[in-house]
Amino acid sequence: MGKRVALVLAGCGVFDGSEIHEASAVLVHLSRGGAQVKIFAPNIEQRDVVDHLKGSPTEEKRNVLVESARLARGDIQDLAELKASEFDAVIFPGGFGVAKNLCSWAVDGKNCTINEHVNSTLQAFHSAKKPIGLCCISPVLAAKAFPGCEVTVGQDTNIDGRFPDAETASAIVELGCKHICKNVNESHVDKANKIVTTCAFMCKAPLHDIFDGIGTMVQEVLKLA
């Protein structure tokens, strides 16, 4: 039997939910790796709803679980129902929804708080020594939850304009964690904490490079599971 992996989403759409290409890439690589996947999201209201055509917030209200169901093709459960004992690993794709809905990083930076069900999920997998995979902005969840851990969000300087959010690395260091510089097609494995991270869309790169980097993250998670 394949590894049992929980996938946690934060909505649907890069600016207010989960990044769709990242979520899809994770699912493709998990499928290729023979994993059994179940998808979860918190049953909460989104912090905001963004018009992705205009790039600006609207007055609309949406629910994170309901929106995540779009990506899950309807096959999704409330994150409150996730039991770490039933899985071998958990993976969080990125997207601004992570920084808005799963935690308050978008507003509070390193002083953010993590949603209670997201935090309990992270703590349960970590305590059970089961691997946690994170990409794009999601590594800040580990940086906040597990002081001293090692993660990557790409580079700590904006090399050739490809890493416009490089200051995130500095915030991670300020939280007492170690930031490891990696290229977009690579991932970093914190063996002590079983945390695997890759930068994905934190780097301005061709989609296939982002896809490949997520693939290395998924492969390492499955190896550790």
Side-chain angles (χ1 to χ4, degrees):
M1 292 179 64
K3 302 298 183 182
R4 302 165 300 169
V5 180
L7 182 69
V8 180
L9 299 179
C12 181
V14 59
F15 298 126
D16 57 11
S18 289
E19 210 296 319
I20 294 171
H21 297 294
E22 291 179 13
S24 179
V26 170
L27 287 166
V28 169
H29 288 295
L30 285 172
S31 175
R32 185 169 286 151
Q36 302 175 57
V37 182
K38 288 190 177 180
I39 305 175
F40 298 85
N43 186 11
I44 57 175
E45 187 176 292
Q46 290 184 190
R47 178 173 290 274
D48 62 16
V49 176
V50 175
D51 181 328
H52 281 61
L53 182 60
K54 297 178 180 177
S56 57
T58 71
E59 296 300 316
E60 193 175 348
K61 303 294 183 184
R62 296 193 184 187
N63 178 280
V64 174
L65 178 59
V66 172
E67 289 303 294
S68 298
R70 294 174 178 272
L71 283 170
R73 297 172 62 88
D75 188 5
I76 193 168
Q77 293 174 259
D78 187 335
L79 182 60
E81 299 173 8
L82 193 160
K83 295 180 176 62
S85 59
E86 297 177 355
F87 295 91
D88 301 303
V90 63
I91 294 179
F92 292 77
F96 281 110
V98 172
K100 293 178 176 181
N101 305 325
L102 303 192
C103 71
S104 63
W105 187 278
V107 176
D108 302 318
K110 67 180 189 298
N111 298 315
C112 72
T113 56
I114 301 176
N115 169 274
E116 61 173 320
H117 294 304
V118 174
N119 187 56
S120 63
T121 296
L122 289 166
Q123 298 297 339
F125 277 86
H126 189 256
S127 296
K129 294 180 168 40
K130 294 180 177 181
I132 300 169
L134 310 114
C135 63
C136 194
I137 192 63
S138 292
V140 302
L141 295 173
K144 186 66 179 182
F146 311 117
C149 72
E150 298 177 356
V151 299
T152 188
V153 289
Q155 300 291 326
D156 55 13
T157 56
N158 190 9
I159 301 171
D160 298 327
R162 293 187 303 119
F163 294 89
D165 301 304
E167 71 277 1
T168 303
S170 299
I172 286 169
V173 172
E174 289 178 24
L175 283 170
C177 299
K178 186 173 182 179
H179 180 264
I180 310 298
C181 291
K182 290 285 183 176
N183 292 323
V184 66
N185 58 354
E186 300 176 316
S187 57
H188 176 70
V189 181
D190 178 346
K191 294 181 180 178
N193 290 291
K194 289 194 172 183
I195 295 170
V196 189
T197 51
T198 188
C199 70
F201 278 99
M202 294 292 276
C203 176
K204 290 184 177 180
L207 184 57
H208 67 275
D209 284 339
I210 292 166
F211 184 89
D212 291 346
I214 291 172
T216 68
M217 181 267 285
V218 170
Q219 290 163 20
E220 294 294 342
V221 166
L222 293 178
K223 285 180 189 176
L224 290 171

